[in-house]
Structure formats: structure tokens, C-alpha cells
């Protein structure tokens, strides 16, 4: 089975609360400025690459972004994703120490979700390298029903406020994606960003940039999201025709599916047939499994990939049987629903109750003191995919088997030597008095390169 690099980009929410209970005078924008203070002082910009090969970034506004280094294993990717959480959380901790030193009552919270309290949406994007084919566009279109329905496995759950009373729904992003349809000229447009920017050899590769996922707290949900999508990309590269499940109205379907936690809702296909999300997922899952079996790819899978492609089918079985509880340690939307629902029935609350909203935010809060999902993970109530050691290793170290290893070494050496340098996904540039020495890394798979060895000697 051919190798593939993947990366995850996570935008975080920032909220502030006070230790006194008084209203906070610190806006999320102020919080973001404080977070990036050190980075701006050091590099004069809010865009920086780290020794683990990843990128920290602050766009206008208040959503810090972590773009993980390129990973060629799902385990590395999950470790990188969690490392990103810990890196930003340590920046938040430092900013909070600053607030305390200034005698300010405000404290910043880092939230890994997709909707803030004002209803603004922000994203979690997936990046997959795929080998260039002329029919890329049509092929990606055939995946739209997969992306619309995978929320039943990978949704992060959400309390949706609406006239007539709030309800719990499966995905945070589903309602936001609706807006995207107005500008959609093809089916896949609101789901897959088609800007042709491969960050690699343009003759050979494309980068598929998926914008329709929820940020996941559960490592298992993250791993499942990437492992299932990867299976379908392998099929596309191999030229397999996908099951014809084209939806009549994808953006309407994504909402209808999200709104029904019983998973019984059917959506209309272009051919007039009606299908549940689970049925559509099963058709993709079975087609993928058949293809892997035919090609002998199962033998190539590492343990994490193997566990996740098996889980794909198992989880669909459990969901079809209505046995949601057996997935409550794996899937975010179910784990979160169980906690909120227990609290809700105990207190006789409606979904509009602000205490439930606070509890929902706590699930996504990354601070060790307030974070619910992170503490569930420590207690084994959410199953992790990688060890804590692996996550801590990923804070400072790039994946060893991709181009990120070269970037990480260069960033490490140049910062240590206090040299001026510039880096992006493809370029390593050492700035010198008489210009710059640049190495272009066109091969995302290659962790070794003589030119980089030479560049490092100049540092
Ligand atoms: N050749 C590649 N194929 C697939 N993914 C890649 C490749 N090169 C880099 N990536 C991943 O793509 C992501 C790029 O993130 P980044 O936020 O910088 O880009 P972007 O989303 O295109 O830009 P922006 O967020 O500024 O609009 C990273 O997670 C990175 O690991
Ligand atoms: Mg980005």
C-alpha cells in the first residue's frame, strides 16, 4: 500500500472568566494577543514553525491555530494533535501567570471545539496527500456522501440553541456548513477546499484539504476520522469506482443527520432512494474493506490503522443495534451526550439550561483543572490511541519518517544558533548578510536530504 502524508489543522476558541465571578474585561482578541506575546517578541510575527515541524499561527481574530507536521502514520498524527493542545495550553498557562502577576482577575481558557458562545464557527481541517489524477474533482465528488454521513462516528456533539427549545445534535459543524452552499458550484466545494496547493511536487501530488470535520477530543475519534478517510483515498488512487450514493441535497442531509441522535433519519439519494447515514457509511466501509482484501493491503497496516479500520465496521454494527453505550469511551458525541444527559435528567433541566452549556464547554476545555474530556482520558473513560510519552515526545520532536524531520532539525539548529531563518512547508531558508541559502523540499516523504545536511553545517 502506498505511503501517505497527512496533517491536521486545529483552530481553538479562547474564552475568559474571572476568579471573582465578575464579568471579564478581557476580550478573546486580548487573550490571543497575550498568548502570542512571546512568539511575536521572538519572531516578530504570529506565524512560527516549531522544532516538531508544526506551525503555530494566529490569523486576525481570536482563534489560534495549530497545523501539525506531516505524518505518515495515524499514531503520529494523533500524538501531534494532542501535542498541539499541550503547546497552546502551556502558552495559556504562561499568559495566566502574567494576568495573576498583574493582579487581574481574568483567566484564559483554551477550548477545542468549533462554535463559540456567540455562535461563530471555526474549523478543524484535515490534509491528505493524494497522487495526482486527472479526474480528481469527480472522484472527490463521489466522497461527498461519506463526508456528510461520517459525523455519526466522528461528530463531537453539540447543544443547538433554537426557537422552541435547545436540543442535542451530533455535529458542531453541520449547521455551519449549510452557509457554504450559497457559494458552492460543485457538490464537494463546501466540504473539500479545492485550492491546488500541494505543498509538494505539483506534477505528482495534490493535497486534499477537508474542511467538514468537528474538532475531536477523543483520540479514538480523531484516529477513526483519518483512518476511514484514508481507506477511501487509497481506493480513489487505485481507480476504484465508489458506490453511487450521490445525495439529492448534501447540505440539507448533513443537517438532518446531525439533528437526529436516534440515527433513524433517512436522506434522499439522487436516484430517489432513501438511506440512513449508517447505511451509507456501511456501503463505503464494506467497499473499502473489500478493496483492501482484494489488494492484500490489510497485511500492510500498522496496529493503529488496523484497529481503526476494524472499528469502522464494529462501530456501525453497534450503532445499528442501538448499543450506543458500548461506544461511549470512543466516540465524542456519545461520550459527551452521556455526561450531559445524566446531569440533565438528574437536575430535571431542559437543554436550554446555562449549566449544561457550561458543562458542554468544560468537555472541550484543555486546562488540566477544568477540562472534562482530558480528565476522562486520564481515568480511562475515553480511550487513547497513543501513550502520554508519545504525546510529550511530539511536543519537541517531529515525526521521524517524513519531511517534517528535516524541518524540525533545521528549526532547532537555527534557533539554537540564533540565526535568522524562514521556514514553510516546502522551504528552509537561512538568511545571511549577502542573501539567503534555500533548500526546497519537494518530497514530503523524505526525512533525509544531503542538501539539508550541508545547510546545517552553515548554521
Ligand atoms: N504534501 C502534503 N500533503 C498533505 N498535507 C500536507 C502536505 N504538506 C503539508 N501538509 C499539511 O497541511 C497542513 C497545512 O496547514 P496550513 O494551515 O499551513 O495550510 P493551509 O490550510 O493551506 O493554509 P491556511 O490555513 O493559511 O489557509 C499541515 O497540517 C501540514 O502538515
Ligand atoms: Mg491552516
Amino acid at each position: 500500500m502506498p505511503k501517505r502524508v497527512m496533517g491536521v489543522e486545529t483552530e481553538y476558541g479562547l474564552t475568559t472568566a474571572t476568579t471573582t465571578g465578575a464579568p471579564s474585561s478581557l476580550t478573546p482578541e486580548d487573550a490571543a494577543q497575550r498568548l502570542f506575546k512571546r512568539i511575536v517578541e521572538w519572531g516578530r510575527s504570529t506565524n512560527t514553525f516549531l522544532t516538531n515541524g508544526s506551525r503555530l499561527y494566529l490569523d486576525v481574530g481570536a482563534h489560534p491555530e495549530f497545523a501539525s507536521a506531516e505524518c505518515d502514520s495515524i499514531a503520529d498524527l494523533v500524538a501531534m494533535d494532542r501535542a498541539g493542545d499541550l503547546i497552546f495550553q502551556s502558552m495559556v498557562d504562561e499568559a495566566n501567570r502574567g494576568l495573576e502577576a498583574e493582579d487581574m482577575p481574568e483567566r484564559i481558557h483554551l477550548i477545542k471545539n468549533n462554535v463559540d458562545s456567540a455562535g461563530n464557527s471555526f474549523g478543524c481541517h484535515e490534509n491528505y496527500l493524494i497522487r495526482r489524477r486527472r479526474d480528481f474533482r469527480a472522484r472527490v465528488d463521489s466522497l461527498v456522501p461519506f463526508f456528510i454521513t461520517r459525523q455519526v462516528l466522528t461528530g463531537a456533539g453539540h447543544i443547538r440553541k433554537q426557537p422552541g427549545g435547545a436540543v442535542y445534535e451530533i455535529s458542531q459543524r453541520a449547521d455551519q456548513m449549510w452557509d457554504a452552499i450559497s457559494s458552492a458550484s460543485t457538490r464537494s466545494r463546501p466540504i473539500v477546499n479545492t485550492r491546488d496547493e500541494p505543498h509538494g511536487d505539483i506534477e505528482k501530488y495534490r493535497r486534499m484539504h477537508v474542511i467538514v470535520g468537528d474538532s475531536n477530543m477523543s483520540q479514538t475519534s480523531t484516529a477513526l476520522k483519518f483512518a476511514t478517510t484514508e481507506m477511501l483515498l487509497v481506493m480513489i488512487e487505485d481507480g476504484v469506482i465508489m458506490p453511487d450514493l450521490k445525495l439529492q441535497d448534501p447540505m440539507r442531509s448533513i443537517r438532518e443527520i446531525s439533528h437526529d441522535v436516534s440515527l433513524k433519519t433517512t436522506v434522499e439519494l439522487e436516484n430517489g432512494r432513501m438511506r440512513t447515514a449508517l447505511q451509507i457509511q456501511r456501503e463505503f466501509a464494506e467497499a473499502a474493506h473489500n478493496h483492501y482484501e482484494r489488494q492484500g493491503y490489510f497485511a500492510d497496516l500498522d496496529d493503529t490503522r488496523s484497529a481503526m479500520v476494524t472499528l469502522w465496521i464494529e462501530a456501525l454494527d453497534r450503532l445499528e443495534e442501538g448499543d450506543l453505550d458500548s461506544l461511549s469511551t470512543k466516540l465524542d458525541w456519545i461520550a459527551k451526550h452521556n455526561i450531559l444527559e445524566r446531569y440533565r435528567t438528574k437536575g430535571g433541566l431542559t437543554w436550554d439550561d446555562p449549566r449544561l452549556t457550561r458543562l458542554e464547554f468544560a468537555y472541550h476545555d484543555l486546562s488540566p483543572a477544568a477540562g472534562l474530556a482530558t480528565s476522562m482520558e486520564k481515568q480511562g473513560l475515553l480511550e487513547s490511541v497513543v501513550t502520554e510519552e508519545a504525546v510529550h515526545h511530539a511536543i519537541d520532536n517531529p515525526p521521524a519518517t517524513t519531511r517534517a524531520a528535516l524541518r524540525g532539525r533545521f528549526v532547532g539548529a537555527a534557533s539554537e544558533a540564533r540565526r535568522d531563518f524562514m521556514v514553510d512547508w516546502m522551504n528552509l531558508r537561512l538568511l545571511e548578510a549577502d542573501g539567503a541559502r534555500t533548500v526546497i523540499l519537494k518530497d514530503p516523504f523524505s526525512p533525509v536530504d544531503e542538501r539539508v545536511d550541508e545547510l546545517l553545517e552553515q548554521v
Side-chain angles (χ1 to χ4, degrees), residues 9 55 65 68-70 127 195 198-199 207 209 403 425:
E9 294 163 64
R55 175 192 189 212
E65 175 178 318
S68 81
E70 307 88 329
N127 296 276
R195 189 172 46 174
H199 296 325
R207 177 174 58 118
H209 191 170
R403 171 175 69 188
W425 297 109

Side-chain angles (χ1 to χ4, degrees), residues 187-206:
R187 283 171 184 278
S188 50
R189 172 95 176 269
I191 291 172
V192 177
N193 183 315
T194 55
R195 189 172 46 174
D196 193 1
E197 196 183 30
H199 296 325
D201 190 335
I202 198 156
E203 307 275 316
K204 293 188 190 156
Y205 305 124
R206 290 197 65 132

Side-chain angles (χ1 to χ4, degrees), residues 18 29 41 90 124 178 195 280-281 319 373 384:
T18 59
E29 286 76 14
E41 279 166 7
S90 75
C124 174
W178 173 260
R195 189 172 46 174
I280 293 175
Q281 278 294 306
L319 292 173
S384 40

Side-chain angles (χ1 to χ4, degrees), residues 131-384:
R131 277 123 193 120
R132 195 168 280 277
R133 292 181 60 109
R134 208 177 323 156
D135 55 1
F136 176 76
R137 183 73 280 158
R139 295 277 167 168
V140 171
D141 271 355
S142 70
L143 294 185
V144 168
F146 164 75
F147 287 120
I148 297 287
T149 54
R150 69 176 182 168
Q151 54 174 312
V152 298
L153 299 166
T154 61
H158 179 49
I159 301 175
R160 179 164 50 94
K161 301 278 172 27
Q162 57 177 21
V167 292
Y168 187 85
E169 67 174 319
I170 295 172
S171 154
Q172 308 202 332
R173 289 283 275 171
D175 285 312
Q176 318 295 337
M177 283 298 143
W178 173 260
D179 301 334
I181 195 165
S182 54
S183 63
S185 56
T186 73
R187 283 171 184 278
S188 50
R189 172 95 176 269
I191 291 172
V192 177
N193 183 315
T194 55
R195 189 172 46 174
D196 193 1
E197 196 183 30
H199 296 325
D201 190 335
I202 198 156
E203 307 275 316
K204 293 188 190 156
Y205 305 124
R206 290 197 65 132
R207 177 174 58 118
M208 186 166 92
H209 191 170
V210 179
I211 56 183
V212 71
D214 287 15
S215 293
N216 287 114
M217 296 302 296
S218 158
Q219 291 186 8
T220 308
S221 296
T222 301
L224 192 60
K225 180 165 69 181
F226 277 88
T228 53
T229 306
E230 181 186 36
M231 277 188 112
L232 299 179
L233 298 184
V234 169
M235 290 173 75
I236 287 185
E237 285 176 348
D238 287 350
V240 183
I241 303 290
M242 287 292 157
D244 181 13
L245 295 160
K246 288 224 173 62
L247 295 164
Q248 183 59 34
D249 186 345
M251 287 302 124
R252 184 187 161 126
S253 301
I254 201 173
R255 287 162 59 115
E256 288 174 348
I257 292 164
S258 181
H259 295 178
D260 176 29
V261 290
S262 82
L263 307 174
K264 299 245 176 341
T265 291
T266 53
V267 292
E268 191 182 358
L269 306 189
E270 222 172 53
N271 62 20
R273 301 218 172 92
M274 303 299 289
R275 289 281 182 280
T276 64
L278 292 174
Q279 288 169 333
I280 293 175
Q281 278 294 306
R282 185 173 295 276
E283 285 208 37
F284 278 109
E286 282 177 356
H289 274 257
N290 287 338
H291 182 64
Y292 271 42
E293 203 146 18
R294 240 185 342 260
Q295 300 291 108
Y297 289 157
F298 282 118
D300 297 337
L301 300 184
D302 58 42
D303 289 351
T304 308
R305 280 186 167 99
S306 183
M308 291 304 132
V309 303
T310 307
L311 177 60
W312 193 6
I313 303 273
E314 276 175 11
L316 292 174
D317 290 343
R318 296 292 89 75
L319 292 173
E320 242 150 47
E321 293 158 8
D323 178 14
L324 273 56
D325 279 341
S326 68
L327 297 167
S328 67
T329 55
K330 297 185 173 79
L331 306 187
D332 270 325
W333 76 268
I334 297 176
K336 194 165 101 179
H337 186 247
N338 278 2
I339 299 168
L340 295 178
E341 180 65 8
R342 217 176 301 137
Y343 188 81
R344 193 179 75 82
T345 39
K346 213 163 117 196
L349 313 175
T350 68
W351 284 107
D352 287 291
D353 197 285
R355 282 169 286 181
L356 286 170
T357 308
R358 280 201 293 276
L359 197 58
E360 166 166 35
F361 271 100
Y363 185 81
H364 300 273
D365 194 324
L366 288 170
S367 78
L372 210 52
T374 46
S375 93
M376 287 168 69
E377 190 182 290
K378 285 216 165 64
Q379 297 168 56
L381 298 173
L382 270 185
E383 284 172 39
S384 40

